[in-house]
Amino acid sequence: MNERTTALITGANKGIGYEIAAGLGALGWSVGIGARDERRREDAVAALRAAGVDAFGVPLDVTDDASVRAAAVLLEERAGRLDVLVNNAGVAGAWPDTPSTATPDDVRAVLETNVVGVIRVTNAMLPLLRRSEHPRIVNQSSHVGSLTLQSTPGVDFGGVSAAYSPSKTYLTALTVQYAKELAGTAVKVNGACPGYVATDLNGFRGTSTPADGARVAIRLATLPDDGPTGGLFDADGAVPW
Ligand code: NAP
């Protein structure tokens, strides 16, 4: 049994996920770098270890059952439990993403990663999370998934979307449902809105850095026992659904 707090961050080889791993690692935590490509994963692990972080690689494709099962076995053998799961892996899908032009395959591909992938990983990790004294799940959502903000006149999210934005709406709904199911347990489940962050996902058009974008997820990963569950948060506090 590893005495360090152990976290798994999906999609941690780059972007916001990498910075979440760096931030949690800086707390002295052991951080699992969930990533599907071996070289990208090992490069990230090496960079984090060079910075003094106790990082380890977790081969993980969130769309693949066998890969996710194997990741749970790896964590069980390494740590015996999981304290924090950050469901960060996500794809933007085809762009433009307008409802009238989206193809079923485009939509399915985004949902498979951004929604079904979260369910697949969460359910595989829940037995390990239940062994933790302070288990936390953070789902990397987005302001674009907020139906309140989407329907607020004058708020511009850079285009209408059939797949990406609704995938984050679904993810927020899922976060609420997990929180309801897990009420009465120690597991807290919350959604994070990192802001508009310059990463591969948006061709580096975002206006903040991955390290800034990681802060919300890090805060939710380190919530005290009297912290919230079933909420959606950004750097300024609660975000309307
Ligand atoms: P990014 O740099 O493109 O990172 C996405 C990560 O997800 C990569 O590590 C990618 O791995 C991984 N990934 C994609 N599909 C995967 C799969 N099937 N299995 C495992 N890993 C997979 O983008 P990012 O901006 O940091 O995005 C991270 C999260 O933040 C996403 O959920 C995104 O929707 C969310 N978000 C981003 C912004 C923003 O402005 N950037 C705003 C709101 C929310 P590969 O390298 O193998 O592709």
Side-chain angles (χ1 to χ4, degrees):
M1 178 80 77
N2 190 340
E3 291 312 314
R4 286 190 192 229
T5 300
T6 300
L8 170 66
I9 302 102
T10 70
N13 55 288
K14 65 180 180 181
I16 304 169
Y18 179 89
E19 294 297 338
I20 295 169
L24 295 178
L27 301 175
W29 291 17
S30 188
V31 289
I33 305 306
R36 53 188 169 176
D37 179 84
E38 183 178 0
R39 204 179 112 217
R40 289 197 291 272
R41 182 177 62 249
E42 293 313 319
D43 284 352
V45 169
L48 287 162
R49 292 190 73 83
V53 170
D54 178 16
F56 59 97
V58 180
L60 180 63
D61 181 338
V62 304
T63 66
D64 184 271
D65 284 335
S67 164
V68 172
R69 275 197 304 271
V73 170
L74 186 156
L75 282 157
E76 159 111 58
E77 289 174 355
R78 186 184 169 95
R81 65 167 198 284
L82 182 63
D83 299 295
V84 169
L85 168 63
V86 182
N87 285 307
N88 169 80
V91 292
W95 198 261
D97 182 25
T98 40
S100 61
T101 58
T103 69
D105 283 347
D106 289 343
V107 176
R108 266 193 288 270
V110 172
L111 295 180
E112 185 58 41
T113 300
N114 296 6
V115 177
V116 182
V118 172
I119 297 172
R120 184 180 285 112
V121 174
T122 301
N123 290 355
M125 299 301 159
L126 262 176
L128 297 173
L129 285 159
R130 288 181 190 276
R131 293 182 199 160
S132 170
E133 283 182 37
H134 312 285
R136 307 286 181 258
I137 300 171
V138 182
N139 293 331
Q140 192 71 278
S141 193
S142 172
H143 291 101
V144 302
S146 164
L147 295 179
T148 302
L149 296 178
Q150 284 283 1
S151 53
T152 301
V155 176
D156 178 17
F157 284 119
V160 293
S161 162
Y164 182 74
S165 298
S167 79
K168 296 301 186 182
T169 311
Y170 195 147
L171 182 56
T172 298
L174 197 56
T175 300
V176 173
Q177 297 300 324
Y178 268 114
K180 284 175 70 175
E181 185 181 354
L182 294 167
T185 76
V187 185
K188 293 188 183 302
V189 193
N190 288 289
C193 298
Y196 191 32
V197 182
T199 65
D200 265 341
L201 191 96
N202 51 35
F204 295 92
R205 285 185 299 274
T207 50
S208 67
T209 65
D212 281 339
R215 289 212 176 91
V216 186
I218 291 170
R219 179 156 51 79
L220 296 173
T222 55
L223 280 177
D225 288 343
D226 62 354
T229 188
L232 182 66
F233 300 92
D234 67 9
D236 297 323
V239 174
W241 295 332

